[in-house]
Amino acid sequence: MIKSVVTCGVPRESVLGSLLWNVAYNRILNTEVKECCFIICYANDTLIIVENDSVELVVKKAERCASKVVENIQEIGLKVSPNKTKTIVLCGRDLAIDSRNIRIIE
């Protein structure tokens, strides 16, 4: 038998790990967002998808949505790492990539 002391979080491969993550992260998945905004989570990654024909409106909506998501993540005691955060804006049928930064609005 292997014993270890856990001071926070859940040990990897724990039987309860997935269930506890689902319970805690359910709040993030249920963040109230505007129409044409979607939140998808997998493991510790959160994806925000915003649909619109205007790049400017996509950026505005993404900033608002990201701010709400980050706020909810912080409220459950987790941190968002800005240096690991990536943004890509795809617009139009040609999928032109715009590498603007999405700001988190406080």
Side-chain angles (χ1 to χ4, degrees):
M1 179 184 302
I2 299 173
K3 293 184 178 185
S4 63
V5 177
V6 178
T7 58
C8 66
V10 177
R12 289 186 182 264
E13 300 178 19
S14 164
V15 174
L16 288 176
S18 296
L19 175 63
L20 292 174
W21 184 89
N22 287 339
V23 169
Y25 230 71
N26 193 48
R27 177 180 185 159
I28 309 311
L29 289 166
N30 290 322
T31 299
E32 285 190 36
V33 293
K34 298 281 184 186
E35 185 178 330
C36 300
C37 296
F38 308 92
I39 300 170
I40 300 170
C41 299
Y42 179 77
N44 62 347
D45 295 324
T46 303
L47 174 65
I48 298 170
I49 299 173
V50 180
E51 297 176 340
N52 199 291
D53 292 332
S54 161
V55 172
E56 287 74 23
L57 285 176
V58 166
V59 170
K60 277 185 181 180
K61 285 184 174 188
E63 287 177 342
R64 283 192 217 115
C65 184
S67 295
K68 287 182 181 181
V69 168
V70 168
E71 182 180 313
N72 282 345
I73 288 172
Q74 291 170 340
E75 285 180 5
I76 63 172
L78 299 175
K79 294 179 184 176
V80 174
S81 180
N83 60 332
K84 292 183 178 179
T85 301
K86 306 287 183 228
T87 61
I88 299 175
V89 178
L90 306 171
C91 188
R93 294 183 186 270
D94 296 331
L95 298 178
I97 299 176
D98 184 331
S99 60
R100 298 175 196 221
N101 288 326
I102 305 294
R103 297 175 297 117
I104 305 302
I105 302 166
E106 301 200 30

